[in-house]
Amino acid sequence: MNIVLVGTQWGDEGKGKVIDILSQNVDYIVRYQGGNNAGHTVVTGNKEYIFHLLPSGILHKGKICCIGNGVVIDPVVLLKEINDLAKSGIAIDSRLKISPLAHVIMPYHKNLDLLRESKRANKIGTTGRGIGPCYSDKINRCGIRMLDLLNAAVLRDKLKDNLNEKNEIFRKVYDHPGFNFNAIYKEYLGYGRRFRKYLANTTLILNEATRKGKDVLFEGAQGTFLDIDFGTYPFVTSSSATSGGACIGTGVAPVSIDKVIGVAKAYTTRVGEGPFPTEFVSDFAEFIRQKGKEFGATTGRPRRCGWFDGVMSKQAVLINGITELAIMKMDVLDGLKVIKLCNAYKYKGKIFKEFPYDLQVQKNAVPVYKEVPGWPETRVKPRTFKQLHPNAKDYLKLLSDMLGTKISMISVGSAREDTISMV
Ligand code: GDP
Ligand code: IMO
Ligand code: MG
């Protein structure tokens, strides 16, 4: 069975936790888009791991973890991640397979990301990890790929071309001294030598696995509304964060995908700028932020918080082909008197039941809410659906009916055991 797991909101839905749990039952886990803008948290016992590039299934011994061609790789970050895991006693050895076609985030990409942001009138609030500039070079056909790091002559030519153009931009547009060829060339050839043993034809590996009836889990990063096409453009990331990205980013064909699972928080969060129709007003936002520990796993920035948005989630179900949902962080809503669920937007007297494409409407839409009674704080974490408070069950039923999708997992805490499986 091949399963794609996607974020249905603006990222940070709890994908890392769900991937870690589902990884027990699969053979391969593969990241297919994004880069180290992602921060996927897995909590085991009293240890917390945050994965930026390695698939979140890596903690499970014997599972093969792939980084697909659609990912952009910062070798500095990947190396640190591998070394940190080794220090924690987790061996990667031959379990990591990296596509030679994956593009490399170069030092100038990170600086360009920060400098572009600093000049923009309407800031995106990027993670500053060089994601946008690296994907731009990919599309612009001047990117450097992992396989280029293995070939000194190819790397030299590509790097020279890039620096010729980019150093002019750095100096003339950004008043920045630019980058030295020799230093980057030497350093990145070194990464080639270091990563050579991990490079493998991941497309072939995953297709072979599929043919043999093995199970593959495709780990989405970011979320539907950060998708370059379907997100709240231009306040998005630079990759296809929707389920279609899994095929493009791995070379596994759509006919080989069996199931798409969507991950959603029981409320909504967003890091960075851009529209957020159901965003809370200040005091309550701070209350939920503290209760849900809503601070970015990558940048540490406070996450903006709001009510569950059914209009967005319905669109996410449609675009991704979601047939099952994992609803996360139900515990954070414990103790509220009233909980609101947005099922439409109002703008200039018009009701929107479908997610509007116009940024002006997204920005100024007034949510139409259905209010439901909350449930008390739980002293003992529920372990089965039956143990949930009746009002919590009703909330989940409403949510599932609104989206026309079944809920297959409910999460009531960050630990593995704080999970209710519905299958
Ligand atoms: P991802 O990017 O989608 O993997 O999500 P992040 O790891 O960035 O953010 C999710 C955060 O919520 C992490 O700190 C998780 O440990 C935490 N988390 C996941 N599920 C739950 C839950 O059900 N309850 C609570 N309180 N925290 C959770
Ligand atoms: P995970 O996988 C939440 C947001 C940034 C910014 C926008 C563009 O952990 O869910 P970028 O650096 O990608 O050019 O930034 O996208 N963003 C995320 N927000 N979770 C993520 O990943 C994100 N990755 C990018 O905050 O608003
Ligand atoms: Mg995250």
Side-chain angles (χ1 to χ4, degrees), residues 10-13 15 37-40 113 124-129 131-132 221-222 226 236-238 271-273 301:
W10 280 292
D12 300 332
E13 295 90 349
K15 298 177 292 295
N37 46 351
H40 295 179
D113 193 359
I124 298 171
T126 73
T127 58
R129 301 300 193 260
I131 307 297
Q222 288 78 56
L226 289 173
V236 293
T237 191
S238 301
V271 208
E273 304 304 320
R301 289 177 292 174

Side-chain angles (χ1 to χ4, degrees), residues 267-270 276 278-295 302-307 332-333 336:
Y267 49 100
T268 312
T269 63
R270 157 161 226 176
F276 187 166
T278 62
E279 187 166 15
F280 296 139
V281 286
S282 56
D283 279 2
F284 192 57
E286 190 51 29
F287 173 73
I288 294 291
R289 187 175 302 126
Q290 293 301 335
K291 194 160 183 222
K293 299 196 177 75
E294 295 295 359
F295 295 88
R303 294 177 182 145
R304 299 155 65 190
C305 302
W307 294 118
V332 179
L333 298 183
L336 298 180

